[in-house]
């Protein structure tokens, strides 16, 4: 018993001594946590450099865009071919992807050898050989009668400008075929296939093996957005935000970046980490000074590193009693599979002895322990270096997503990772230590990069087909110059109809006289009350105007109008308004004062004088009974009488559009048009009295409230109405009415978007084909969301957050489509508005007999103010459709309140005159 304990003690002591001896000898190969964090930071800086347009040419980590923009979503189906060139064997594969509710992939494959004379010979012969193998495979599998899409896995650094094109930057590993570098490998293979009469194949995608690995794993796990290969070579890819990739046009969505991290350190960034053995190995390689990071990690070099260390230790008398065998002196005699065998948990030492004996050596027990520890240090350093670079990628993903904690999956492949018994465990442990805020799952790729190439091809086919369907829908909202000119001319016709006695009754654009005869001239002064009713809020204002200095001071209070009041009786509505006025007067200490009042009433009214107006019809969700056809000023006076607390001098009934024009006219005498582009849409302008047949007199001008929202109610714009516009109209409070407003105003744009999203989801093009309850809810998609989603400053991540608030669980691709839909709907709205405005400015130019008109438009409304592109598109359209008019758009500062007071002041001035 004692002897057993003694032997165990002796062995433990021997092991410790040997381990300490090797640790001292390979001190520089052991990397501390601090060093790994430093390498991680260096790699992050290199990634940044590789992504920048100006810094990429000098970056060692090339960060190559792959043009793979989407990962599988499970709806892919069809038959695909795949080729895999880049390792010790060449593989051809047929992949059948079926949807049928469950993700299924069936594969048939064939391996072909890659003889040295082919991979190091002439480039043309290499691609002819690949085409021959493909032809053989198709013949064997009886596929020659089919035309199939093909994905080409090509595991070498390529610069891609599109998915199906790639220029070889340099050969790596053992490949050295002449005349291929700096040429497009897809066209080289296409030409080789053309020389085969029986090959009819479309190459849809050129894929790096790392990208293939990521795609294979992403088919099984949608969280997979990183691919890593640790095999003959080593590399990683990941999904990067387009906004960070300077090398490719566009900011939307994500794209897979092939880092080509094997070249990390080629610029000297890792000189302090590299050892004498790394330098010796590099000098003896076929590409000295290149792929230095890969040479410290990958399977092609690991065995050779171990051999160089053992040789040096033997020469120093630290191993084998100083003996060296001829095999130990020969390059390539120790392979990575030997390293893996030597590190096996139980049989490792026995394997070590066997391998050393095969090398012609006579190792002692101590030698075997030492050699095994050398293998451990070399493979551990490899895993550590890999972990540091991978941790840098995961940190970048986390920063891009702005998440406190990242959940992600890394797709793994490569012989070293697969066959080495300790490697995966070591890698995972170090990664988790370096990025404690990431929940990382490591998923082994089952069928590797070849299946991945088929998946990329399947995704490309799916995306292509979906894109066609999405573009078909968006095309409905893309108006041609011809269509816009036609809208301008039809609007002009309707304006004329509305002004004439004969045709007025049939006109959709009502052209209502407002009895506002003049613009402010700067002499207005006094205190005025203003009321503003036009939305869900009601405002009461006190406006003090001082003459000479054109100074206006305002005090106001906002009151809510509950839905039951908006849609109750007329008496209840006006009693509520008077209650609000009473509260305001008391608040301002004006209870007894009899002030002139201007009433901004933002609904279509037929006026017989400035202080009389009959409501034509409610809009914007109001439905109060017993009001339509009644004089709203009388209704307000009656309500004041019922209250019997105060008396007010109601001087003017004002439309908010007129108020906007007056406010801007107070600042700029050239302002003769008012535009509202907000919840509703409307325009007013100063018309020559001689053209207004509905009002007596030919002298001077009068402001006309066009009420252009009704344009098209007679069917004259049906040709540009889409099915989505019809659905919005049918579901509104006033079907068949305000057709133009429903295509251009804030109240309806979000609803049009919602209808489109429902249709695209039904077609399986969005939200994985799932229509959520929230998406079925009318009015859920408010127009403010369009403004937020279309903001240029907003990353897709924030778009996804907005959609999540709406209960829509979107992918990155969904977010891009939603943004496009919002853009198409709002752009059309701005263009239609611009076409209408062009009709008005052209009319004014012709009426005045001018070659060129210079005019200002006063504008108000949330859509114009808050939407990031609406105002620009509107102005560009007016410029385009009315080239002889120089139109300035001036933003109104509180048109409906200040404007009402100014109209009241102008009316008072004209009365006194």
């Amino acid at each position: 018993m004692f002897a057993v304990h003694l032997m165990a003690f002796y062995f433990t002591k021997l092991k410790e001594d040997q381990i300490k001896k090797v640790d001292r000898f390979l001190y520089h190969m052991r990397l501390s946590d601090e060093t790994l964090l430093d390498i991680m930071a260096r790699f992050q800086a290199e990634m940044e450099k590789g992504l920048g347009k100006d810094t990429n040419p000098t970056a060692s980590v090339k960060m190559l865009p792959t043009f793979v923009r989407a990962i599988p979503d499970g709806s892919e189906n069809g038959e695909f071919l795949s080729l895999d060139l880049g390792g010790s064997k060449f593989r051809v594969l047929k992949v059948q992807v079926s949807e049928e509710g469950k993700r299924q992939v069936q594969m048939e494959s064939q391996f072909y050898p890659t003889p040295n004379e082919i991979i190091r010979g002439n480039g043309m012969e290499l691609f002819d050989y690949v085409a021959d193998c493909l032809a053989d495979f198709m013949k064997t599998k009886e596929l020659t009668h089919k035309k199939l899409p093909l994905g080409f896995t090509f595991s070498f650094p390529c610069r891609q400008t599109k998915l199906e094109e790639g220029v070889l930057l340099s050969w790596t590993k053992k490949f050295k075929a002449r005349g291929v570098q700096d040429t497009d490998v897809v066209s080289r293979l296409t030409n080789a296939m053309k020389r085969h009469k029986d090959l009819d194949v479309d190459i849809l995608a050129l894929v790096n093996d790392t990208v293939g690995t990521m795609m294979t794993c992403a088919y099984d796990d949608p969280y997979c957005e990183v691919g890593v290969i640790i095999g003959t070579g080593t590399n990683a890819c990941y999904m990067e935000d387009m906004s960070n990739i300077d090398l490719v046009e566009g900011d939307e969505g994500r794209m897979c970046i092939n880092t080509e991290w094997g070249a990390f350190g080629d610029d000297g960034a890792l000189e302090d980490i590299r050892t004498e053995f790394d330098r010796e190995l590099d000098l003896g390689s076929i590409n000295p000074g290149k792929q230095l990071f890969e040479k410290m990690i990958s399977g092609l070099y690991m065995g050779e590193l171990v051999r160089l260390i053992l040789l040096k230790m033997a020469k120093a008398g630290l191993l084998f009693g100083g003996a060296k065998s001829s095999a130990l002196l020969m390059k390539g005699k120790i392979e990575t599979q030997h390293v893996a065998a030597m590190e096996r948990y139980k049989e490792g030492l026995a394997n070590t002895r066997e391998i050393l004996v095969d090398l012609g050596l006579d190792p002692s027990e101590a030698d075997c322990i030492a050699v095994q520890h050398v293998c451990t240090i070399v493979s551990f350093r490899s895993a550590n270096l890999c972990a540091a670079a991978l941790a840098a990628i995961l940190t970048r993903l986390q920063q891009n997503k702005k998440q406190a904690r990242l959940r992600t999956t890394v797709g793994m492949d490569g012989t070293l990772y697969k066959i080495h018994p300790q490697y995966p465990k070591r890698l995972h442990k170090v990664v988790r230590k370096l990025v404690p805020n990431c929940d990382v799952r490591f998923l082994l790729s089952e069928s590797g990069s070849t299946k991945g190439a088929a998946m990329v091809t399947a995704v490309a086919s799916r995306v292509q087909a979906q894109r066609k369907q999405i573009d078909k829908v968006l095309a409905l909202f893309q108006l041609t110059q011809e269509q816009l000119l036609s809208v301008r001319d039809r609007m002009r016709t309707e304006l004329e109809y509305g002004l004439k006695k004969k045709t007025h009754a049939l006109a959709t654009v009502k052209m209502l006289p407002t009895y506002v005869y003049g613009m402010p001239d700067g002499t207005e002064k006094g205190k005025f009350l203003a009321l503003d009713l036009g939305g869900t809020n009601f405002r009461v204002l006190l406006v003090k105007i001082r003459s000479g200095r054109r100074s206006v001071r305002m005090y106001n209070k906002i009151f809510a109008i509950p839905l039951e009041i908006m849609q109750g009786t007329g008496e209840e509505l006006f009693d509520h308004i008077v209650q609000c006025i009473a509260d305001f007067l008391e608040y301002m200490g004006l209870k007894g004062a009899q002030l002139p009042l201007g009433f901004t009433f933002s609904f279509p009214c037929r006026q017989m004088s400035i202080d009389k107006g009959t409501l034509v019809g409610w809009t914007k969700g109001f439905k109060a009974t017993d009001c339509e056809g009644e004089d709203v000023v009388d209704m307000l006076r009656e309500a004041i009488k019922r209250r019997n607390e105060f008396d007010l001098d109601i001087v003017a009934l004002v439309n908010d559009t007129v108020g906007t024009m007056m406010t801007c006219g107070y600042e700029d005498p050239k302002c003769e048009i008012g535009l509202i582009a907000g919840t509703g849409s409307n325009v007013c302008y100063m018309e020559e009295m001689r053209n207004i047949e509905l009002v007596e007199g030919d002298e001077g001008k009068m402001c006309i409230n066009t009420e252009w929202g009704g344009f098209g109610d007679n069917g004259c714009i049906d040709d540009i109405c889409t099915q989505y516009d019809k659905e919005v109209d049918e579901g509104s409070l006033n079907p068949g009415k305000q057709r133009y407003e429903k295509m251009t105003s804030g109240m309806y744009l979000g609803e049009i978007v919602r209808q489109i999203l429902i249709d695209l989801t039904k077609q399986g093009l969005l939200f994985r084909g799932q229509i959520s309850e929230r998406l079925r809810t009318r009015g859920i998609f408010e127009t403010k969301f369009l403004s937020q989603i279309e903001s240029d400053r907003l990353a897709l991540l924030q778009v996804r957050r907005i959609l999540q608030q709406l209960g829509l669980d979107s992918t990155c691709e969904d977010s891009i489509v939603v943004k496009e839909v919002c853009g198409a709907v709002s752009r059309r709205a701005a263009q239609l508005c611009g076409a209408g405005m062009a009709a008005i400015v052209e009319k004014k130019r012709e009426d005045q007999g001018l070659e060129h008109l210079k005019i200002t438009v006063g504008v108000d409304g949330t859509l114009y103010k808050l939407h990031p592109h609406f105002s620009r598109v509107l102005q560009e359209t007016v410029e385009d459709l009315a080239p002889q008019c120089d139109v300035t758009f001036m933003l109104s500062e509180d048109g409906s309140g200040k404007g009402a007071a100014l109209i009241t002041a102008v009316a008072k001035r004209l009365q006194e005159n």
Side-chain angles (χ1 to χ4, degrees), residues 782-831:
E782 293 170 49
T783 299
K784 70 174 181 186
F785 294 130
L786 265 76
S787 300
Q788 289 171 7
I789 286 168
E790 286 187 69
S791 165
D792 294 327
R793 295 191 306 277
L794 209 62
L796 276 182
L797 200 69
Q798 290 152 298
V799 174
R800 284 178 78 175
R801 283 208 188 112
I802 292 168
L803 294 173
Q804 273 163 358
Q805 286 167 22
L806 294 170
L808 303 171
D809 183 20
S810 69
T811 62
C812 185
E813 289 70 43
D814 290 339
S815 304
I816 296 171
V817 174
V818 171
K819 197 167 180 176
E820 284 183 277
V821 169
C822 292
V825 170
S826 63
R827 183 176 176 79
R828 184 191 67 162
Q831 286 179 318

Side-chain angles (χ1 to χ4, degrees), residues 748-764:
Y748 301 99
L749 297 190
E751 191 52 22
I752 297 172
V753 167
R754 187 182 75 88
Q755 292 294 347
I756 298 170
L757 299 187
I758 286 175
D759 185 40
L760 292 177
T761 308
K762 279 180 185 167
Q763 291 182 51

Side-chain angles (χ1 to χ4, degrees), residues 863-897:
L863 189 57
Y864 187 91
K865 283 178 174 172
L866 303 179
H867 191 281
H869 310 299
F870 189 92
S871 56
R872 176 183 54 79
V873 176
L874 168 66
Q875 289 168 33
E876 284 169 1
T877 308
V878 173
E879 214 173 287
D880 203 23
L881 303 182
Q884 289 164 274
C885 302
D886 181 1
V887 185
T888 302
F889 287 83
M890 180 182 185
L891 210 51
S892 155
E893 292 305 318
D894 193 40
S896 43

